[in-house]
Structure formats: C-alpha cells, structure tokens
Amino acid sequence: MRQRTFLTLLSGAAAWPLLAHAQQAKPIPRIGFLSSYSAERAKNLVAFQQGLRELGYVEGKNILIESRYAAGDFARLPDLAGELVHLPVDVILTEGAPAAQAAQQRTTTIPIVIGNAGDPAGMGLVASLARPGGNITGLSQMSPELMGKRLELLKEMVPSASRVAVLFNPVNPASPLQLKELQATAPTLGVTLLPFEAQVAHDIDRAFTAMHQERVEALIVMGDAMLGTHQSRVVELAAQARLPATYNLRAFVDAGGLMSYGTHFEDLYRRAATYVDKILKGTKPADLPVEQPTKFALIINLKTAKTLGLTIPSTLLFQANEVIQ
C-alpha cells in the first residue's frame, strides 16, 4: 500500500508542471497601429478601439495596442513598421496608404489590415478587392465616383470656376490614381485642372504662390498625411488667396476651410475592428474581401462662404450633413 501510494503521488507530481502549463493563460494578442499621421489626430484609433470594445475586447486585459506615428514624414514609416514587426505583433492596422505600403515592405507573414487607402488594388497592396491574396486586407476609403463627386460639388459651389487647382503630395501612392479620376471628370464640367505638388511643409507656401501666378479660381486639396498635419497653414493660405476650397476631411472645415466631402473615416476604423477580430480567430486575410466605404459626409462652413462672398446654393445646403455657422 505504501509503495502504491508513493507511486501514485509521484506520477501526480510529475503531471503538475504539465497541468500548470496547460492552465496558463494564452498570450494577449498585440495589435500594431501604424499611422502616416500624428498622434494628435487620434479619432481613427479611438473609433477602432470602440469597435474592439463592441466585440468584447478590453485594452490591457485581452488585447494590447502598440502605436507608431510618422506625423506626415513618410520616410520614417519603414523603420516604424520594422519596429512593430520585431516586437512582434499579431496584426498590423495601418492608417493611410503610405503606412500600408511600408508595412507591406516589412512583412509578408504578419496579417495587415488597411484602415484606409485610396485604391488598394491599384497600388498593388492586394490582388483585387474581392480576392486580396497574401497577408493584406481591409478597407478602401475610395468609391469609384468619390473624386468626381468632390469636383462636382466644388463646381456647384462656384459655378464660374473654370481653372481649378489640385494640391497633392506626389510621394503619396494614392495621388496619381485620384488625380486620374479628377481628370476624367473635369472636361464634363468645363474645368481645367492645374496640379500643384507639395511633398514637404515648405512646399505648401510655394504651391500657393504658383496658384496665384496661374490665376486659379478654386482649389481641391487631396487627402494626404503631410497636408493633413499642416491643415491650419493650408486653410490660412487658401483664405489669404480667397480661394474656395474643398477638402477630404472635416478637420479642415473645422479649421476654417470652406467645405469637405469624403469618407466617414471613423466608420471605416470601427469596421476595421471586425477584420482584426476575425484574423485573431483564425481567418486568413486572403479570405476577407476588401470593403469600400458606405458612409460619406458633406460639411460646409457658412462663415467661410460669407467671407468669400459666396451664396451657397440651396441644393448644396440640402445635401449637407452639417453646416457650420
């Protein structure tokens, strides 16, 4: 009896480490957030965190988020992406097309979820929207008619405008595609587009000087992290030049810009949480089609319109999601 009891205790003791190991909690998933923008522009990350909470994730308890921000300096993105890869993280969520490309260059194995990018297929991030292939999926900020619609709204606001400037960042991979879409729409509206490049902050002033010399009558500012980081300066220079301008983000209108029309970005990032959830539960990115935006917003700054001497057509006021007094 004593020998049998000793052997039973011995075999039980040998099993304790195995049992303890089996009962250890699984590692907490770690999400890398790679942004082309600055940390001050945190609405999209907040929306993503909200989406995670709706799915039962509590940050610090059953999910961790590691954030890296380039603040409009795209040259920093490859190193920041490398930091997330080497941590390592389980999934990378990107903000902006340059961030998505930087993550793509750094890993072909860690799943990447695009929070927003103009044309993921056109930029080579995915094979197609329906069948992404590889380790990348997510959401596109563009619908086929978005840029054309933005130009139509600007023309409706300023019917006399025939020479329209386009301010864009040439190193942003989404810019050529968006410019092409604008150029396809311009002739139908009787508009001549004049592109002006701004790759770094001091280029913005030079671009507006060139616009004055070219006697442009209105302005479209393309979506870009560098331009977004310096939105106050862009809006200030547009006001000084008395240029009616349209933007992709509401933040420009809050800063005094005339109007914005574009994707509801916070909706995209709430939806991005569902992608991350599915990937963490075992779904491959290649099996998750890229989604296009479903919500758009037109915001008009009435005070700025009055300052420019513009009378806003009733048709535009009717379409507007919000009019800032």
Side-chain angles (χ1 to χ4, degrees), residues 4-26:
R4 187 179 304 153
T5 301
F6 173 77
L7 291 174
T8 301
L9 291 172
L10 183 62
S11 62
W16 290 342
L18 297 175
L19 181 61
H21 179 74
Q23 291 178 339
Q24 283 180 357
K26 294 181 179 179

Side-chain angles (χ1 to χ4, degrees), residues 81-99:
E83 289 179 17
L84 294 175
V85 169
H86 290 298
L87 277 176
V89 294
D90 298 283
V91 182
I92 297 175
L93 172 65
T94 63
E95 183 179 29

Side-chain angles (χ1 to χ4, degrees), residues 166-189:
V166 182
L167 182 63
F168 69 101
N169 186 343
V171 301
N172 189 322
S175 293
L177 301 167
Q178 294 183 39
L179 187 59
K180 184 178 180 181
E181 291 176 19
L182 284 173
Q183 289 168 334
T185 304
T188 66
L189 299 172

Side-chain angles (χ1 to χ4, degrees), residues 143-271:
S143 68
E145 67 281 354
L146 180 58
M147 294 305 297
K149 179 67 172 179
R150 193 171 290 159
L151 183 57
E152 288 174 7
L153 292 170
L154 182 60
K155 181 69 172 177
E156 190 172 351
M157 176 72 81
V158 194
S160 62
S162 60
R163 294 171 63 80
V164 176
V166 182
L167 182 63
F168 69 101
N169 186 343
V171 301
N172 189 322
S175 293
L177 301 167
Q178 294 183 39
L179 187 59
K180 184 178 180 181
E181 291 176 19
L182 284 173
Q183 289 168 334
T185 304
T188 66
L189 299 172
V191 167
T192 298
L193 295 177
L194 292 90
F196 296 88
E197 299 182 356
Q199 184 171 335
V200 293
H202 63 258
D203 290 340
I204 297 173
D205 288 69
R206 289 196 296 223
F208 274 90
T209 299
M211 289 179 205
H212 175 71
Q213 294 169 347
E214 292 289 343
R215 298 182 180 180
V216 300
E217 299 161 294
L219 168 65
I220 289 181
V221 178
M222 282 194 187
D224 176 72
M226 188 281 293
L227 294 173
T229 299
H230 301 284
Q231 65 186 28
S232 297
R233 184 57 178 163
V234 173
V235 169
E236 179 186 7
L237 290 170
Q240 289 176 6
R242 297 190 60 78
L243 276 177
T246 182
Y247 307 89
N248 72 314
L249 293 175
R250 181 212 167 99
F252 283 91
V253 184
D254 290 334
L258 176 60
M259 68 177 181
S260 66
Y261 178 76
T263 306
H264 194 297
F265 283 89
E266 292 165 54
D267 177 63
L268 291 185
Y269 281 84
R270 278 194 296 271
R271 288 161 60 190

